[in-house]
Amino acid sequence: MTLTGQMLIGQHAITGSREAIRAIDPATDKPLEPAYAGGTEAQVDQACALASAAFDSYRETPLAARAQFLEAIANEIEALGDELIERAVAETGLPRPRIQGERGRTCQQLRTFARTVRAGEWLDVRVDNALPERQPLPRPDLRQRQVPLGPVAVFGASNFPLAFSVAGGDTASAFAAGCPVIVKAHGAHPGTSELVGRAVARAVKTSGLHEGVFSLLFGSGREVGIALVSDPRIKAVGFTGSRSGGMALCKAAQARPEPIPVYAEMSSINPVLLFPAALQARGEALAQGFVTSLTQGAGQFCTNPGLVIAHQGAALERFISTAADLVQHSPAQTMLTPGIFTAYKAGVDLMRAETVAIGLKGETPNQCQAHLFVTQAQDFLRDPTLQAEMFGAASLVVQCADDNEIRQVIEHLEGQLTATLHLDDADLESARALLPMLERKAGRLLVNGWPTGVEVCDAMVHGGPFPATSDPRSTSVGTAAILRFLRPVCYQDFPDSLLPAALKHGNPLQLRRLLDGQRED
Amino acid sequence: MTLTGQMLIGQHAITGSREAIRAIDPATDKPLEPAYAGGTEAQVDQACALASAAFDSYRETPLAARAQFLEAIANEIEALGDELIERAVAETGLPRPRIQGERGRTCQQLRTFARTVRAGEWLDVRVDNALPERQPLPRPDLRQRQVPLGPVAVFGASNFPLAFSVAGGDTASAFAAGCPVIVKAHGAHPGTSELVGRAVARAVKTSGLHEGVFSLLFGSGREVGIALVSDPRIKAVGFTGSRSGGMALCKAAQARPEPIPVYAEMSSINPVLLFPAALQARGEALAQGFVTSLTQGAGQFCTNPGLVIAHQGAALERFISTAADLVQHSPAQTMLTPGIFTAYKAGVDLMRAETVAIGLKGETPNQCQAHLFVTQAQDFLRDPTLQAEMFGAASLVVQCADDNEIRQVIEHLEGQLTATLHLDDADLESARALLPMLERKAGRLLVNGWPTGVEVCDAMVHGGPFPATSDPRSTSVGTAAILRFLRPVCYQDFPDSLLPAALKHGNPLQLRRLLDGQRED
């Protein structure tokens, strides 16, 4: 297939007429053809009109049909073959095995949501049968199910060109919930976006769905992005990216005559706590694990371990010196975009903490040198810039004088995606005492692991208090993400023929309902 | 018990030092003693500090203990006896049987949440066991539960001085979720609030809970209310009231460094659709049911039927003339406050539609005369003021020329709490065709009933798209309301001894978990 530079408005390939961008190969700083012209307001309007027209039919697709659609997308992505891998590698500078792995994850994610759709638990069916004889007043027949919110605008991330982009987690979960999706493609990987977008559009067609179920737009966040979020037919937003980008979308969503929910995954430094016994027993191994996690993918993960908290002393010094040695020998890695490289460089250059190690210098453009910094708890507590996210392989060790300083540092943290505890048996009680604080601060807590690597499964939470996300009540990875795009509707005294299948008296979907206060077997 | 005019900050009764208000008996316009002085910023701060201090212990209360606390509140409210009933009648002008019924509903609501807490399904436990042998990477052990958001600020409603006030639905659901609550009492019924607040505080004490689990503040929404919503220790807000009040809280919540969710139940006119066969067969009976629902409680319900939509013609004319006759003979009823009466009067006086009936004139202050208006679909579509809520016993009949106008009128509606369909068998197909639109517009759909009367049960939805509420993803009545105050946390590779009871390998709480993708029996 030849890339065309065209957007997809439903089944129609259309060339935008606003300023065009080209992807840049960050390994060479060379632009990649073709040009992708931005969409106009009229084109945003067209995509929204189609999505709105598709909503009522798409949201009532039988569960099996909707699951098959998700599986069809996965099949179409796999059928893109090597062209997809090559384009994604060129646009992101990420190594080929990483992109291949990410494709597997993306397709598995779609198939996992297919399983979740079929199981139907997300419909959360509740039935309270009529009690016509009740005194003083009879009870009517009341039945509740979840319905999708409506068309969803999805903004892909730069760092997962497949798993968090056009057919990534936000799109998969919105489709699973029954929402049409309009994707605003990330400017860093437009070719990858076009390929995947066409795969989704083919799945829409072969599944016999209304074309408005999916559109793909190009253009700037400030123009196309804000126009999309402001359109009255859009009912929710999924976003992964920077804090400033996420907050701009939140602001636009709140300024609408009808405000809508925004699920923005934004900023996290993922504190790692090293407890004394663990640090004493295996400081070198911890340093090794830490630097591997820190430098993986040039540190370009939302869950990158950007902060280490521990008691000062000889054991922590050994950890720091081992980690510093590893960082110093870590090779430079190409970052995703020149912009990300520039921001990283500015961040580490301005860092107000002691630099203890810098990784090897790169020889090609946009290469990230890992950085390790050290500071004291009191300085960390005084200077809020020390907990600003530096997107890349940089981390800060905070040395604490005692348990009290550790508590203060944790309490001082903004909301996080993850918090990690490295502990041995002797540390259990200290860890237990900190858990309530950590649960308030983060969406995922790990023991003796590293936060990079986010499993797509039922129990995952990739979310957390602000500014990790704009809405801590949900996750953007894992099957619970379907819940973000639903709302409850109650049907009172409906004749059976008017009830949706999920609520009919005969329970044709064989759901385990909450029936008169009891869960069915 | 003698009313003191004091606030409750934890277990301490404290007199505010800002401007004082007295309740007004709306039936006589006479003030009622004592005076209730507003809280200061320092007092808001104190209440928030206590709530924050109480959070970590309260949120880990065993399910049985938390359920018993909710039941203890119900018992304490019942133990207030006639003093509560008398004060609530005096402060609201509502008839004694109504207040007695509302007390029953309030206590039933607390006991229903106790049952929900015990069942534990709201914990939504998900377990994905470790797969150490998986290729290419092992899967860690991942476990998810729901934890409460944190201290919640609750703003009671004027029209349900018990069921939507100090110990009403928002407070009950927040307590059920494990959140401490700070109530900003409604200025219309401060004495009722003090009595109920003391009952809650006694339940806190006898249940052995941290005193910060509950505080009750007096003062203006603009001062105490905004200070409360702006406090960084408050993590969510529950509100029932006017659109302007709700929007002010939403704005304050969004302006915080850490924005928080606001559940504001605001404004709804609750459209009622009369289908042709039903209207033909039983227009008079429908008119009777309509006027009963319209005038109940002087129309001061969020679910009051403020809009009737039907085909024009002889059948609708008969409906209108029967309804007009009933409205004309309906006695005036005392409204909740002089302010509500004044707003209602202004609303009906400025209404830009034909007045077809006005109820009997009152002889005491603040009495609501029911109003029935009629307009044409095209006028309704042109004039957005015609769908502004008039809080009180006023309703507007929209006459439509054909099915297309009916569709246009529905599509033109803002979000609603309810939508009602009156239909006979011959109307089923017309109704079916409108259902997708109605599901997009409202949180509860009724057939052949009236929207007033909101059952507290598992299947109820008292919510809906904006401006019915600020967050359509939830309900403020019924047990699903507990879900508003929760967020998921994932525990990765935790040793069993550090896991919360809900997630331990032995499943000591005997929950039906989602275990490796399958729901347990």
Side-chain angles (χ1 to χ4, degrees):
Chain A
M1 193 182 111
T2 314
L3 291 174
T4 65
Q6 289 180 305
M7 304 187 293
L8 289 167
I9 297 182
Q11 291 289 317
H12 298 271
I14 288 177
T15 306
S17 54
R18 304 298 300 268
E19 197 181 347
I21 54 130
R22 282 174 181 76
I24 290 171
D25 181 341
T28 61
D29 263 344
K30 297 249 166 66
L32 297 164
E33 294 301 325
Y36 286 84
T40 62
E41 274 189 36
Q43 287 160 339
V44 171
D45 179 75
Q46 258 183 297
C48 292
L50 271 185
S52 178
F55 180 47
D56 282 341
S57 62
Y58 180 61
R59 72 190 178 94
E60 292 295 357
T61 42
L63 301 186
R66 201 183 301 169
Q68 282 158 20
F69 168 53
L70 291 165
E71 290 160 347
I73 299 172
N75 295 340
E76 291 285 354
I77 290 172
E78 286 167 347
L80 291 169
D82 229 38
E83 185 179 7
L84 176 66
I85 304 295
E86 279 163 16
R87 180 74 189 193
V89 167
E91 289 187 327
T92 62
L94 292 170
R96 187 180 169 91
R98 150 69 197 269
I99 292 291
Q100 285 172 315
E102 192 180 325
R103 176 177 60 184
R105 175 203 169 108
T106 305
C107 294
Q108 183 234 327
Q109 183 162 259
L110 287 157
R111 293 181 175 120
T112 303
F113 275 110
R115 190 204 70 202
T116 297
V117 167
R118 281 198 182 89
E121 291 209 349
W122 54 275
L123 289 161
D124 190 16
V125 170
R126 297 156 173 255
V127 174
D128 291 300
N129 280 302
L131 300 174
E133 311 297 330
R134 193 183 64 174
Q135 293 299 328
L137 287 172
R139 181 171 83 181
D141 178 277
L142 292 154
R143 288 158 191 269
Q144 184 189 127
R145 68 164 176 166
Q146 297 285 324
V147 302
L149 289 175
V152 172
V154 169
F155 295 77
S158 61
N159 60 338
F160 281 91
L162 300 172
F164 274 89
S165 191
V166 176
D170 286 344
T171 298
S173 53
F175 278 158
C179 300
V181 168
I182 303 177
V183 173
K184 209 291 280 172
H186 198 290
H189 52 268
T192 306
S193 297
E194 184 188 340
L195 289 169
V196 175
R198 284 173 181 267
V200 177
R202 276 194 294 277
V204 169
K205 189 168 186 190
T206 59
S207 303
L209 300 174
H210 189 295
E211 63 168 332
V213 165
F214 176 75
S215 289
L216 172 67
L217 302 174
F218 293 101
S220 82
R222 263 188 295 272
E223 290 183 12
V224 171
I226 296 295
L228 197 51
V229 171
S230 305
D231 189 284
R233 291 159 293 196
I234 295 295
K235 300 298 183 190
V237 179
F239 169 89
T240 301
S242 70
R243 187 163 174 171
S244 60
M247 290 310 291
L249 297 187
C250 288
K251 210 172 153 186
Q254 284 295 322
R256 294 163 47 116
E258 178 199 9
I260 53 171
V262 175
Y263 299 100
E265 196 258 90
M266 299 182 289
S267 170
S268 181
I269 56 173
N270 306 296
V272 175
L273 279 79
L274 307 176
F275 285 84
L279 193 57
Q280 184 69 40
R282 48 195 165 89
E284 283 84 0
L286 287 173
Q288 190 101 47
F290 165 64
V291 176
T292 302
S293 177
L294 173 68
T295 56
Q296 197 187 340
Q300 300 167 118
F301 292 110
C302 326
T303 53
N304 191 54
L307 193 74
V308 176
I309 302 166
H311 281 99
Q312 65 194 28
L316 180 58
E317 274 162 33
R318 272 200 310 280
F319 170 89
I320 292 172
S321 86
T322 309
D325 193 55
L326 291 164
V327 163
Q328 265 158 14
H329 292 91
S330 71
Q333 294 174 74
T334 305
M335 297 195 87
L336 291 157
T337 70
I340 286 173
F341 171 72
T342 307
Y344 175 75
K345 193 83 178 46
V348 295
D349 287 352
L350 291 171
M351 185 70 175
R352 294 202 280 250
E354 182 195 345
T355 306
V356 293
I358 301 181
L360 296 169
K361 211 168 150 44
E363 295 182 352
T364 54
N366 305 314
Q367 288 209 299
C368 170
Q369 291 175 268
H371 277 72
L372 186 63
F373 300 97
V374 171
T375 194
Q376 305 302 315
Q378 290 307 319
D379 293 324
F380 185 79
L381 293 170
R382 259 192 303 269
D383 185 350
T385 70
L386 292 180
Q387 60 172 311
E389 186 185 24
M390 287 177 287
F391 191 70
S395 192
L396 171 66
V397 180
V398 181
Q399 305 185 95
C400 301
D402 52 28
D403 282 354
N404 184 42
E405 277 198 352
I406 286 184
R407 293 189 71 87
Q408 283 181 285
V409 166
I410 296 172
E411 197 55 83
H412 181 64
L413 289 173
E414 296 189 302
Q416 305 290 337
L417 292 171
T418 71
T420 300
L421 302 88
H422 282 280
L423 50 85
D424 278 0
D425 283 352
D427 301 312
L428 279 173
E429 289 320 304
S430 316
R432 191 189 309 282
L434 295 179
L435 277 183
M437 277 166 80
L438 293 170
E439 285 168 340
R440 281 193 273 108
K441 291 291 179 183
R444 178 163 58 111
L445 308 180
L446 304 84
V447 169
N448 293 339
W450 298 98
T452 43
V454 181
E455 187 74 28
V456 179
C457 60
D458 296 313
M460 178 49 63
V461 176
H462 191 65
F466 185 91
T469 75
S470 57
D471 191 333
R473 294 165 290 177
S474 63
T475 174
S476 67
V477 176
T479 59
I482 192 175
L483 306 175
R484 298 180 297 166
F485 299 116
L486 298 169
R487 48 176 274 260
V489 173
C490 172
Y491 302 76
Q492 180 171 328
D493 281 339
F494 262 50
D496 206 52
S497 69
L498 278 190
L499 282 170
L503 299 184
K504 282 189 193 295
H505 290 74
N507 192 15
L509 304 188
Q510 295 184 284
L511 301 166
R512 283 186 179 175
R513 306 170 299 178
L514 187 60
L515 180 65
D516 292 327
Q518 297 291 323
R519 180 65 56 186
E520 290 181 307
D521 285 324
Chain B
M1 194 183 108
T2 314
L3 292 174
T4 65
Q6 289 179 305
M7 305 186 292
L8 289 167
I9 298 182
Q11 292 288 316
H12 299 271
I14 288 176
T15 306
S17 54
R18 304 297 299 269
E19 197 182 346
I21 54 130
R22 281 173 181 77
I24 290 171
D25 181 342
T28 61
D29 263 345
K30 297 247 166 68
L32 297 164
E33 294 302 324
Y36 286 83
T40 62
E41 274 188 35
Q43 286 160 340
V44 171
D45 179 76
Q46 258 183 295
C48 292
L50 272 186
S52 178
F55 180 47
D56 282 343
S57 62
Y58 180 61
R59 73 192 178 91
E60 293 294 357
T61 42
L63 301 186
R66 200 183 300 169
Q68 281 158 20
F69 168 51
L70 291 165
E71 290 160 346
I73 299 172
N75 295 340
E76 291 286 353
I77 289 173
E78 286 167 347
L80 291 169
D82 228 38
E83 186 179 6
L84 177 66
I85 304 295
E86 279 164 16
R87 180 73 189 192
V89 167
E91 288 186 329
T92 62
L94 292 170
R96 190 181 167 91
R98 150 69 197 270
I99 293 291
Q100 286 172 315
E102 192 180 325
R103 177 178 59 185
R105 175 203 168 109
T106 306
C107 295
Q108 182 235 326
Q109 183 162 259
L110 287 156
R111 293 180 175 121
T112 303
F113 275 110
R115 188 202 74 202
T116 297
V117 167
R118 281 198 181 89
E121 291 210 350
W122 55 275
L123 288 161
D124 190 17
V125 169
R126 297 156 173 256
V127 174
D128 291 301
N129 279 302
L131 300 173
E133 311 298 331
R134 193 184 61 174
Q135 292 301 328
L137 287 171
R139 181 171 82 180
D141 178 277
L142 292 153
R143 289 158 192 267
Q144 185 190 126
R145 68 163 175 166
Q146 297 285 323
V147 303
L149 288 176
V152 172
V154 169
F155 295 77
S158 61
N159 60 339
F160 281 91
L162 301 173
F164 274 89
S165 191
V166 176
D170 286 344
T171 298
S173 53
F175 277 157
C179 300
V181 169
I182 303 177
V183 173
K184 209 291 279 171
H186 197 288
H189 53 268
T192 306
S193 298
E194 184 189 341
L195 289 169
V196 175
R198 286 174 180 264
V200 177
R202 276 194 294 277
V204 169
K205 191 167 186 192
T206 59
S207 304
L209 300 174
H210 189 295
E211 62 167 333
V213 165
F214 176 77
S215 289
L216 172 67
L217 301 174
F218 294 101
S220 82
R222 264 188 296 271
E223 290 182 11
V224 170
I226 297 295
L228 197 51
V229 171
S230 306
D231 190 283
R233 291 158 294 196
I234 296 295
K235 299 299 183 190
V237 179
F239 168 88
T240 301
S242 70
R243 186 164 175 171
S244 60
M247 292 310 291
L249 297 186
C250 288
K251 208 171 155 186
Q254 284 295 321
R256 296 162 47 117
E258 178 199 8
I260 53 171
V262 175
Y263 299 101
E265 195 258 89
M266 299 183 288
S267 170
S268 181
I269 55 172
N270 305 296
V272 175
L273 279 79
L274 307 176
F275 286 84
L279 193 57
Q280 184 70 40
R282 48 196 166 88
E284 282 85 0
L286 288 172
Q288 189 101 46
F290 165 64
V291 176
T292 302
S293 177
L294 173 68
T295 56
Q296 199 187 340
Q300 299 166 118
F301 292 109
C302 327
T303 53
N304 191 53
L307 194 73
V308 176
I309 302 167
H311 281 99
Q312 65 194 28
L316 181 57
E317 273 161 35
R318 270 199 311 281
F319 170 88
I320 293 172
S321 86
T322 309
D325 191 54
L326 292 164
V327 163
Q328 266 157 12
H329 293 90
S330 70
Q333 294 174 75
T334 306
M335 298 195 88
L336 291 156
T337 70
I340 285 173
F341 171 72
T342 307
Y344 174 75
K345 192 82 180 45
V348 294
D349 286 352
L350 290 171
M351 185 69 177
R352 295 203 278 251
E354 182 195 344
T355 307
V356 292
I358 301 181
L360 296 170
K361 210 166 151 41
E363 295 182 354
T364 54
N366 304 314
Q367 287 208 299
C368 171
Q369 290 176 268
H371 277 72
L372 186 64
F373 301 96
V374 172
T375 194
Q376 305 301 317
Q378 290 307 320
D379 293 323
F380 185 80
L381 294 170
R382 259 193 301 269
D383 185 350
T385 70
L386 292 180
Q387 62 172 308
E389 186 184 23
M390 288 177 286
F391 191 69
S395 193
L396 171 66
V397 180
V398 181
Q399 305 185 94
C400 300
D402 51 28
D403 282 354
N404 185 42
E405 277 197 352
I406 286 183
R407 293 189 72 86
Q408 282 181 286
V409 165
I410 296 172
E411 196 55 83
H412 181 65
L413 289 174
E414 295 189 301
Q416 305 291 336
L417 292 171
T418 71
T420 300
L421 303 87
H422 282 280
L423 50 84
D424 278 359
D425 283 352
D427 300 312
L428 278 173
E429 289 320 303
S430 316
R432 190 189 309 282
L434 295 179
L435 276 183
M437 277 165 81
L438 293 170
E439 285 167 340
R440 281 193 274 108
K441 292 290 178 183
R444 178 164 57 111
L445 308 180
L446 304 84
V447 169
N448 294 339
W450 297 98
T452 43
V454 181
E455 187 73 28
V456 179
C457 60
D458 296 313
M460 178 50 62
V461 177
H462 191 65
F466 185 89
T469 75
S470 57
D471 192 332
R473 294 165 291 176
S474 64
T475 174
S476 67
V477 176
T479 59
I482 192 175
L483 305 175
R484 297 179 298 166
F485 298 115
L486 298 169
R487 47 175 275 260
V489 173
C490 172
Y491 302 76
Q492 181 170 327
D493 281 340
F494 262 50
D496 205 52
S497 69
L498 278 189
L499 282 170
L503 298 183
K504 281 189 192 296
H505 290 72
N507 193 15
L509 304 188
Q510 295 183 282
L511 300 165
R512 283 185 179 176
R513 306 169 300 179
L514 186 61
L515 180 65
D516 293 326
Q518 297 290 324
R519 180 63 57 184
E520 290 182 307
D521 287 324

